[in-house]
Amino acid sequence: MKQLNYPSMRFLRMAGLSLAMGLATLASAQETSYDVRHLANEQNIVSLSASKKYLLLPVEDNAPEGKVYIIVDNNRQGEEINIRLARKQVDYYVPLDLSAFAGKAVAIDIQGTPSSAICWKKLQFSDTFDLTNREKFRPVYHHTPAYGWMNDPNGMFYKDGVYHLYFQHNPYGSTWGNMTWGHSTSSDLIHWNFEGDAILPDAWGAIFSGSCVVDHENTAGFGAGAVVAFYTSAKSTPWGGSQSQSLAYSLDNGKTFIKYDKNPILTSDQPDFRDPKVFWYAPDKHWVMMLAVGQEMQIFSSKNLKDWKYESSFGAKQGAHGGVWECPDLVELPVEGTKEKKWVLICNINPGGPFGGSATQYFVGTFNGKRFVNEAPTQTKWMDWGKDNYATVTWNNAPDGRCVALGWMSNWQYQAVLPTWQYRGANTVARDFTLYKKDGEYLLKSAPSPEMKQARGEKQSFPSFKVSDTYQINQLLPRNEGAYEIELSIKNAGASRVILNLLNEKGERIDMYYDVPRQQFVMDRSESGLTSFSKEFPAVTVAPASETDRIQLRLFIDRSSIEVFGEEGEYVMTNRIFPSAPYNQMSFASDRGSFTVESLNVYKIK
Ligand code: FRU
């Protein structure tokens, strides 16, 4: 690469040349000029007059991280931004919103990026930023961030017909950093609109995971119906990191938030102290906050959402402890077919999942508003038997008494290297939780939310067929774009293995089978497509499946994911996959006896 040896250089950019420009803007292209001064120690000052809404910053995912500060009149504006500015190649652009400084002279202080980096020549200005990301692995009917990195779902609440979903967002790159609450909304849990970033880092730190409640009774005094958000303020300082809980409230249904002037509201000397989940405990008319603290969950109570009292801790000698506990939740669920209800404590753990890395475990028991008691203390219960369901939490204030949950469809083992660029991260499909009882044990049922049936489009049905050796379907859908559901019911007649594989014309495949003697459903994604980006990615995942006579299955495939729901959610397996073309064939085989596929329907998802 040519070395650029200049102390200062002036660039003229036609705004209309930007990658992200729409045609309308192209017509009204106007010149924006900027000036770069390279100072000592990899410090650079970009001077400009803020005449366009965005400065588009070129990013290279593998470049080292530097820092960006906006300076007006010799003063820093807002918090520092960590960013991997392009040194050798531009992977994608991210927008730096300058609209608050319209017409002003702005200096962008960029530290930790050498003068030889190509970013200095690649800065662009624009009034728009293109959100129509066309990457081939971007799911169609799963929530993804419009751009940038995403991890945990946060602050989920339902109000006035709208599901609100906030998420751990890095608006300045597709790797983790600058944690901010991005915001998306949906009326059907399937089609999501990006509403922008709702809660931005501040003096108390980055904005880590948390929850929102609707304060119907105005217990906090922000107003009846105010939406109150709780999140972890996370800061690293030269004398160590700190995590504390903060609060912000919204008087416009979650669009914008006002940060509470007495933040932080809860502090600790524990290094891992985070992810507040707040909910209303009706019998005692108080609020409850669950917090993940090291390898336990702590429970607090409050009458006014501002002052919190420690009540109890849960976790010692319970369940899996292979890693730190994160993102708690506590919900009361009906037991199917009875009038009984039980409390379920949701505990995300990383690492220490059954197939390595992150996973979600849960405990079933009682809760009296202050203390949770696990009724099966010797068992570990997993919510999902794949590698890619983490940080699962539920919607507050969901309609009709439903308990609707959402997970982050990934694993900390490899999220940072998944083969996508301008965005990275996806959520699972929404799931409705209930409990069922099997052999005296209470287990969680995660059914695909009923909205998934309304999303069914074009249908392809296959007449019943018997498999005594092998059976092949050459075309699942006429124009398969990789976003569909397969619904199957199978009657087993003595097969010891019921094998069903998904394949594409490149020979890539997902192998699945029921191991009847072991009562297991197994998935192998090691030949599923791109897998070499991480040695932790090729994997075989196994779920307990006691029903192997009459099998009911729903498989949701969406470009780069597969979610298997057995027996309407008695077990679930969520795995990411990166096939170079959609799987459009299915092959069946039986080992020993035979089985009959009594119904097989494939639906495009709208
Ligand atoms: C879980 C988690 C949370 C934390 C957030 C930071 O994935 O580690 O505990 O709040 O991610 O992004």
Side-chain angles (χ1 to χ4, degrees):
M1 200 200 65
K2 193 171 154 250
Q3 193 69 25
L4 302 171
N5 287 321
Y6 43 73
S8 164
M9 202 161 190
R10 173 159 275 266
F11 294 86
L12 282 179
R13 279 246 164 258
M14 295 296 288
L17 292 183
S18 123
L19 169 90
M21 295 300 295
L23 278 179
T25 337
L26 188 67
S28 64
Q30 76 179 63
E31 284 183 350
T32 303
S33 65
Y34 65 97
D35 186 83
V36 185
R37 282 190 301 140
H38 301 293
L39 311 183
N41 298 322
E42 298 196 338
Q43 183 176 21
N44 314 272
I45 314 285
V46 180
S47 308
L48 51 103
S49 80
S51 61
K52 292 274 171 194
K53 186 162 188 226
Y54 301 119
L55 168 61
L56 301 178
L57 297 165
V59 178
E60 179 183 342
D61 266 354
N62 290 328
E65 210 169 56
K67 301 213 178 279
V68 170
Y69 306 88
I70 300 175
I71 313 280
V72 175
D73 218 4
N74 290 296
N75 285 307
R76 279 188 186 162
Q77 312 288 315
E79 296 303 306
E80 77 179 17
I81 295 167
N82 297 300
I83 189 167
R84 298 172 190 279
L85 285 172
R87 297 194 177 194
K88 296 199 169 86
Q89 67 178 52
V90 179
D91 291 335
Y92 51 87
Y93 279 83
V94 294
L96 178 67
D97 190 342
L98 296 178
S99 51
F101 316 108
K104 293 199 177 134
V106 176
I108 315 288
D109 175 8
I110 301 179
Q111 301 183 13
T113 304
S115 59
S116 58
I118 62 162
C119 61
W120 312 118
K121 288 201 297 186
K122 299 284 184 183
L123 298 173
Q124 298 182 352
F125 297 89
S126 176
D127 283 325
T128 58
F129 182 64
D130 187 358
L131 297 179
T132 55
N133 183 298
R134 291 167 202 88
E135 290 181 44
K136 82 177 206 189
F137 290 130
R138 192 181 191 94
V140 173
Y141 58 88
H142 287 77
H143 174 257
T144 52
Y147 63 98
W149 162 282
M150 176 177 86
N151 57 294
D152 315 355
N154 294 154
M156 288 142 58
F157 72 94
Y158 173 88
K159 191 166 186 256
D160 304 336
V162 180
Y163 287 90
H164 293 261
L165 163 60
Y166 301 82
F167 53 92
Q168 287 287 280
H169 189 210
N170 182 1
Y172 300 107
S174 300
T175 51
W176 187 86
N178 305 306
M179 289 338 283
T180 296
W181 275 24
H183 182 203
S184 298
T185 55
S186 173
S187 56
D188 62 5
L189 293 167
I190 294 157
H191 302 95
W192 293 95
N193 294 316
F194 179 53
E195 305 283 350
D197 287 312
I199 306 185
L200 273 57
D202 59 24
W204 312 115
I207 313 297
F208 275 16
S209 291
S211 58
C212 283
V213 296
V214 182
D215 187 10
H216 296 289
E217 307 290 334
N218 195 19
T219 61
F222 301 131
V227 175
V228 185
F230 298 85
Y231 54 87
T232 300
S233 295
K235 206 167 174 63
S236 35
T237 62
W239 45 92
S242 81
Q243 299 191 342
S244 54
Q245 315 318 319
S246 291
L247 179 165
Y249 59 96
S250 171
L251 305 177
D252 59 3
N253 282 342
K255 180 91 188 136
T256 59
F257 282 87
I258 303 160
K259 285 179 178 151
Y260 182 46
D261 58 8
K262 294 193 182 62
N263 279 340
I265 56 167
L266 210 52
T267 63
S268 164
D269 49 18
Q270 298 284 328
D272 292 305
F273 179 66
R274 58 180 181 266
D275 308 340
K277 170 71 191 208
V278 177
F279 64 93
W280 178 244
Y281 184 72
D284 288 355
K285 293 195 167 31
H286 71 214
W287 297 98
V288 174
M289 181 190 287
M290 304 284 300
L291 276 174
V293 188
Q295 287 198 8
E296 63 178 30
M297 300 305 185
Q298 292 187 353
I299 298 175
F300 294 74
S301 71
S302 171
K303 291 278 183 199
N304 64 4
L305 292 171
K306 296 168 177 165
D307 305 305
W308 292 90
K309 177 173 170 251
Y310 169 80
E311 298 287 359
S312 64
S313 295
F314 170 81
K317 301 200 175 74
Q318 313 273 320
H321 283 273
V324 69
W325 285 18
E326 302 185 312
C327 303
D329 204 343
L330 184 56
V331 290
E332 194 182 26
L333 296 179
V335 182
E336 283 191 351
T338 71
K339 292 207 163 62
E340 222 184 340
K341 283 185 159 192
K342 292 269 167 203
W343 286 84
V344 175
L345 190 150
I346 298 172
C347 168
N348 291 281
I349 171 169
N350 177 57
F355 310 106
S358 353
T360 310
Q361 61 178 333
Y362 65 94
F363 305 92
V364 183
T366 57
F367 178 60
N368 64 2
K370 297 181 170 175
R371 179 175 295 276
F372 173 80
V373 178
N374 177 14
E375 288 185 346
T378 55
Q379 290 165 8
T380 299
K381 297 178 177 179
W382 297 107
M383 181 181 280
D384 189 299
W385 298 91
K387 278 198 78 149
D388 296 300
N389 181 359
Y390 192 58
T392 307
V393 282
T394 65
W395 259 276
N396 265 322
N397 206 41
D400 312 320
R402 288 170 63 184
C403 180
V404 189
L406 199 73
W408 175 46
M409 197 157 55
S410 198
N411 192 311
W412 280 109
Q413 281 184 331
Y414 42 68
Q415 164 73 8
V417 292
L418 293 186
T420 65
W421 293 105
Q422 201 208 1
Y423 85 97
R424 195 167 283 129
N427 292 110
T428 63
V429 295
R431 296 157 186 202
D432 275 43
F433 284 170
T434 50
L435 286 169
Y436 69 104
K437 211 169 174 179
K438 194 155 216 164
D439 306 329
E441 214 186 307
Y442 294 96
L443 295 170
L444 187 72
K445 188 169 198 176
S446 313
S449 292
E451 284 80 355
M452 290 311 301
K453 285 201 174 156
Q454 277 134 43
R456 287 174 172 175
E458 198 182 312
K459 173 179 177 185
Q460 193 74 5
S461 286
F462 297 86
S464 158
F465 55 89
K466 185 173 172 186
V467 184
S468 32
D469 182 16
T470 58
Y471 189 92
Q472 173 93 9
I473 289 176
N474 288 325
Q475 189 189 67
L476 287 173
L477 284 171
R479 289 164 307 282
N480 191 337
E481 284 153 18
Y484 53 97
E485 176 193 345
I486 303 174
E487 184 188 38
L488 288 149
S489 62
I490 297 173
K491 167 118 188 55
N492 190 6
S496 66
R497 242 177 217 213
V498 173
I499 303 169
L500 47 146
N501 301 327
L502 280 166
L503 307 103
N504 67 13
E505 75 266 13
K506 306 277 166 64
E508 297 162 348
R509 53 196 290 144
I510 302 177
D511 293 335
M512 291 172 277
Y513 60 88
Y514 281 86
D515 184 327
V516 177
R518 289 206 173 98
Q519 300 203 309
Q520 288 174 337
F521 173 82
V522 181
M523 184 189 295
D524 182 348
R525 69 172 174 192
S526 39
E527 305 289 326
S528 57
L530 266 182
T531 60
S532 59
F533 50 84
S534 160
K535 67 174 182 8
E536 311 291 354
F537 193 79
V540 177
T541 52
V542 182
S546 53
E547 182 51 72
T548 45
D549 277 344
R550 288 198 156 272
I551 297 167
Q552 294 290 338
L553 264 184
R554 287 172 75 188
L555 316 181
F556 291 90
I557 292 117
D558 192 2
R559 297 265 170 91
S560 57
S561 61
I562 176 165
E563 288 157 282
V564 177
F565 293 85
E567 312 309 322
E568 271 299 309
E570 288 190 4
Y571 62 91
V572 196
M573 187 180 282
T574 305
N575 281 319
R576 301 301 301 268
I577 36 134
F578 295 93
S580 53
Y583 309 114
N584 206 21
Q585 298 159 21
M586 206 162 176
S587 73
F588 295 84
S590 84
D591 208 4
R592 305 224 175 89
S594 65
F595 63 88
T596 300
V597 176
E598 293 184 323
S599 76
L600 169 56
N601 297 314
V602 185
Y603 303 90
K604 272 200 175 168
I605 302 225
K606 288 186 277 191

